[in-house]
Amino acid sequence: MILSIVGSSGSGKTTLITRVVPILKKAGLKVAVVKNVHEDFEIDKEGKDSWKIYQSGADVLITSQKKLALIKRIDCKDLDELVERYLNDYDLVLTEGFSKAGKDRIVVVKEPEEVENFLQGKVVAVVCDKEVEGYVWFKREEVEKIANFILEIWKKSF
Amino acid sequence: MILSIVGSSGSGKTTLITRVVPILKKAGLKVAVVKNVHEDFEIDKEGKDSWKIYQSGADVLITSQKKLALIKRIDCKDLDELVERYLNDYDLVLTEGFSKAGKDRIVVVKEPEEVENFLQGKVVAVVCDKEVEGYVWFKREEVEKIANFILEIWKKSF
């Protein structure tokens, strides 16, 4: 299942994700998060061997016993394609951003009226410290409730 | 095709790879490099959002228009499985290390007698500044020749 966590910059999307993930994992879900960045981000550390190899023009897969990192050039970023290709072994894929991809979403906002900027997919809930009408509504601090709500949606997705 | 670049630590594997990759790319090959690291490496930058998300327990896929980075927990690192899963869209996969995986290899050494430590697969060439007998032999600086040699092997692999 793919669920988007959308909202304006600085609204607390990352914080919300980092707080619900441990609860979702504890419930037994294997969770991946897709994060959309705009810039040509630098993930590896300048000067490291893997960085040098990437700079030479090769894509790079770094592996240890417990972890892998794949760093590669792409020329599209269609969400469904990426998830199918790289994340098909997860129970739940949360996206941070990707509002335009049209997936069901939890909208995180500071002001209730901002919700209207994120209607490109079905809004299953709104997270906002001010009261929001017309949607399932959680306050930012209600992390446990939000995680349980996601779990309920996930169970219904089968 | 998978080709391993093996040799003792400090023998110049990374340097060789970063020098042949541009030539191989110029020849039209899509090249990936698998780098084997022993430690629980830290790829992302502490404090960044993607780092925080990974620390919370989720695996992470970071994407921009031109680049992706997948950072995930794994519990095996069988080379064939990794290549099949993540690198099946490359013409050539070079591995740095992975000597025990038994793939055909170019052995990079400082002393000719070190070659015997890397015989777990077919040695197609040895790179060493001292003369090596019994193998196709290149000096470290013969980058163009080494790249062309790899291209020849690659062409024959079909």
Side-chain angles (χ1 to χ4, degrees), chain A residues 21 25 30-34 87 90, chain B residues 53-54 57-61 70-74:
Chain A
V21 162
K25 281 197 77 177
K30 194 174 172 197
V31 184
V33 175
V34 187
L87 304 173
Y90 292 85
Chain B
I53 292 168
Y54 187 84
D59 292 344
V60 181
L61 179 68
L70 172 67
I71 308 170
K72 69 176 284 181
R73 293 152 182 89
I74 52 170

Side-chain angles (χ1 to χ4, degrees), chain A residues 35 43 59 61 68 72 90, chain B residues 35 43 59 61 72 90:
Chain A
K35 187 170 168 61
I43 180 84
D59 291 346
L61 179 67
L68 76 73
K72 69 176 283 183
Y90 292 85
Chain B
K35 187 171 167 59
I43 180 84
D59 292 344
L61 179 68
K72 69 176 284 181
Y90 292 85

Side-chain angles (χ1 to χ4, degrees), chain B residues 40-52:
Chain B
D40 184 21
F41 65 96
E42 188 64 74
I43 180 84
D44 207 353
K45 291 177 186 69
E46 193 173 329
K48 280 182 64 176
D49 283 352
S50 47
W51 180 87
K52 288 179 193 166

